[in-house]
Amino acid sequence: MISLIDLLIISVYLFIILIIGFLVGKKENLEGYLVNNRKTKSILLVFTIVSTTVGMGVFLAISSASYKNGISYGLTVMLASVLSMFLVAYFAPKIKRFGDKYKAHTLGDWFAVKYGKKNRLLVSIIILVAYFFLMALQFVGISGLVHVISGLDFQIALIITSLITIVYTTVAGIKSDFYTDAVHFVVMILTLFLVLLPFSLMKSGGLSFLSSLPTSYFNPFAFSGISFFIGGLVFGATGFLVSMDIWQRIYASTTEKEAKKVYIWSAFLLIIFFIPTIFLGLIAFNVVPGVNPDFALFELMKIGLPVGLLGLGIAGILAAAMSTVNSMILVGSITILKDIHKSFLNPDLSEHQMLRLARIYTFSYGLLGLVVAYLFPNMVQLQIVSAATLVVLAPATIGGFVWKKSTAKASFWSIIIGIIITFALYPWMPTLSFIPGTLTSLILFIIISKLTYKETKSALNS
């Protein structure tokens, strides 16, 4: 059982986060709730970008895969993430320019302007599905932490911890998300480098444990073969560019130059979280063999951290989860509000009505994410499915920026057929179905654009 001192440390940390969230979000207007009035300081953006990106997807999914298969999965995701950040940095000025010009809040806003309302609706549905899985990943991680450390039943822990996070996010909005993410970032750094890594290494007897690991654990293709490694790098590198939380943060930046700069810095900062987390998974394999890989990190913490530092370690993991899950919930609620409700149901909503609906949708979307957490409790698969769902948007997104012949029909059919193939092949290729799905999307986008460009151009000129 967790000690009173550890419990006090965790409680104080959560109390501070809740106070910050409620105070900052208390008097928020709609533009502040959605994009922080488009004037967020660069240092705050770097903190929130890295904090949101890390989450349980790094701390748990990476350590879990490292525990089972070695460095392969973590290495692939790290390289793809860094490449993806640089790709976002390249397009960030254009996205910021678009956001300021059209007062955009979502990725669907861009698709509506570039390709029309039908594409907006399709993209919004895909984003909602993808972020369900991302939310579920965070909820499973939080509840697993509570379960392993305290012994509380997993399902009870899932409900309690998820509801606390949902309520906090509903009140707070994106401005307080940014401020609390700054606190989360500092806590994660302290936890990782002053607590988790050094104490776990001491428990394993130092770096000498590496020599006892299976040689396959150092094979970069061990997770799912060379196809996953190459496909993960090629298609995974587009992942952040089609992630709506990334677009929100670009919209929220002060200038085009700053929007580009923060993503270059974030690319390098991500590495300092990935590498230690891979190591923690390997250490856990050595120190706590035979446990559930998804929660091996927690088992390592439970036996490796002394009283007091265990509380700080738990606070660091909670920081990773909370900094991500509130962004995931906000992405879903803003998508429903802006891309569906306002665009198709009631375009004449007042600012007061939109702010009220934003909070209603935030709470409701969070609850639905809790349901998904029950249905898909595997950490690595949740991360893969969410990424596979989003990357089929990449051809239409990149094509819309760089290719004048891209058309609305090409965007719509490349996305819908790509997502169908991805999910149709998933039962047989759970780690690789994103490759044929995204490749099909790319080929169709090019072919259909070429076939329909003249028709589209004539329609616009008539």
Side-chain angles (χ1 to χ4, degrees):
M1 292 293 292
I2 190 170
S3 72
L4 185 61
I5 295 175
D6 290 317
L7 190 60
L8 182 62
I9 292 171
I10 298 164
S11 300
V12 169
Y13 174 70
L14 290 176
F15 180 75
I16 291 171
I17 292 299
L18 289 172
I19 290 298
I20 293 173
F22 278 98
L23 288 179
V24 175
K26 186 178 178 182
K27 298 180 180 180
E28 198 61 271
N29 58 22
L30 180 66
E31 195 73 357
Y33 191 90
L34 301 182
V35 289
N36 196 27
N37 297 305
R38 306 179 196 275
K39 56 180 183 181
T40 312
K41 300 289 186 181
S42 294
I43 187 66
L44 203 57
L45 278 176
V46 171
F47 285 159
T48 186
I49 290 165
V50 176
S51 296
T52 300
T53 303
V54 172
M56 288 296 185
V58 172
F59 270 102
L60 288 197
I62 299 298
S63 63
S64 171
S66 299
Y67 184 93
K68 289 186 289 187
N69 303 106
I71 68 170
S72 175
Y73 181 78
L75 179 65
T76 305
V77 176
M78 180 181 73
L79 293 175
S81 297
V82 172
L83 290 172
S84 194
M85 282 292 180
F86 283 121
L87 186 65
V88 170
Y90 176 79
F91 285 106
K94 295 181 180 180
I95 297 172
K96 173 61 177 172
R97 196 177 310 135
F98 167 81
D100 289 348
K101 180 178 179 180
Y102 291 96
K103 297 300 177 186
H105 301 104
T106 68
L107 178 57
D109 284 332
W110 184 84
F111 270 85
V113 172
K114 179 65 182 178
Y115 296 123
K117 292 184 71 174
K118 187 166 69 170
N119 273 273
R120 179 205 281 270
L121 180 60
L122 175 62
V123 168
S124 66
I125 292 170
I126 288 174
I127 287 173
L128 290 175
V129 172
Y131 279 82
F132 271 138
F133 292 115
L134 285 171
M135 262 197 302
L137 192 157
Q138 311 307 316
F139 287 149
V140 170
I142 295 173
S143 57
L145 174 62
V146 175
H147 168 66
V148 171
I149 300 298
S150 70
L152 189 66
D153 179 78
F154 179 83
Q155 293 183 343
I156 295 175
L158 179 62
I159 293 172
I160 292 174
T161 54
S162 299
L163 285 177
I164 290 173
T165 308
I166 291 167
V167 171
Y168 149 68
T169 306
T170 299
V171 175
I174 203 166
K175 183 177 180 180
S176 58
D177 179 16
F178 290 171
Y179 280 91
T180 54
D181 278 356
V183 179
H184 292 321
F185 180 88
V186 174
V187 172
M188 284 192 293
I189 288 288
L190 292 175
T191 300
L192 193 57
F193 289 98
L194 297 184
V195 179
L196 287 180
L197 199 56
F199 279 87
S200 296
L201 276 171
M202 282 192 288
K203 194 70 178 177
S204 68
L207 292 174
S208 59
F209 84 94
L210 292 171
S211 61
S212 65
L213 295 175
T215 55
S216 63
Y217 270 48
F218 302 98
N219 179 0
F221 312 131
F223 176 73
S224 194
I226 193 170
S227 297
F228 178 83
F229 182 80
I230 295 175
L233 293 187
V234 173
F235 298 119
T238 65
F240 291 146
L241 187 62
V242 290
S243 299
M244 206 185 92
D245 55 294
I246 295 293
W247 283 61
Q248 281 180 306
R249 280 147 179 77
I250 295 173
Y251 292 153
S253 61
T254 54
T255 65
E256 295 174 21
K257 183 179 179 180
E258 292 300 303
K260 180 175 184 175
K261 183 173 69 176
V262 296
Y263 280 97
I264 293 174
W265 277 107
S266 297
F268 291 110
L269 284 173
L270 278 183
I271 298 173
I272 70 173
F273 286 98
F274 273 96
I275 293 177
T277 307
I278 293 172
F279 259 93
L280 287 170
L282 299 177
I283 293 171
F285 176 79
N286 177 259
V287 175
V288 285
V291 301
N292 181 346
D294 282 348
F295 304 136
L297 177 59
F298 300 153
E299 298 285 358
L300 179 64
M301 290 168 56
K302 188 166 68 172
I303 68 168
L305 298 182
V307 171
L309 290 182
L310 177 61
L312 182 58
I314 294 171
I317 300 297
L318 287 175
M322 292 175 68
S323 63
T324 302
V325 74
N326 51 17
S327 296
M328 304 301 101
I329 296 173
L330 285 169
V331 162
S333 65
I334 294 168
T335 298
I336 297 170
L337 173 67
K338 188 79 185 289
D339 292 333
I340 297 177
H341 193 125
K342 185 172 174 61
S343 296
F344 294 94
L345 301 178
N346 187 356
D348 300 319
L349 288 171
S350 67
E351 179 175 323
H352 175 74
Q353 289 173 317
M354 287 185 70
L355 184 57
R356 181 171 57 85
L357 282 170
R359 290 195 165 103
I360 292 172
Y361 285 140
T362 298
F363 186 78
S364 303
Y365 188 73
L367 286 181
L368 288 174
L370 177 56
V371 173
V372 175
Y374 270 104
L375 300 176
F376 297 91
N378 182 278
M379 302 292 291
V380 175
Q381 285 304 317
L382 282 169
Q383 190 173 49
I384 292 173
V385 170
S386 61
T389 306
L390 284 174
V391 293
V392 295
L393 303 178
T397 304
I398 296 174
F401 278 119
V402 303
W403 196 28
K404 292 182 179 180
K405 292 186 177 182
S406 59
T407 68
K409 286 184 179 179
S411 170
F412 184 85
W413 288 110
S414 69
I415 292 171
I416 201 166
I417 294 176
I419 200 72
I420 288 172
I421 289 175
T422 298
F423 279 95
L425 293 177
Y426 180 80
W428 297 275
M429 306 169 62
T431 61
L432 297 174
S433 66
F434 72 95
I435 297 176
T438 310
L439 191 58
T440 300
S441 180
L442 173 62
I443 294 170
L444 286 175
F445 180 76
I446 294 172
I447 293 173
I448 297 174
S449 288
K450 285 182 174 291
L451 293 175
T452 59
Y453 174 69
K454 290 184 179 180
E455 170 193 332
T456 304
K457 188 176 180 181
S458 298
L460 290 174
N461 293 332
S462 62

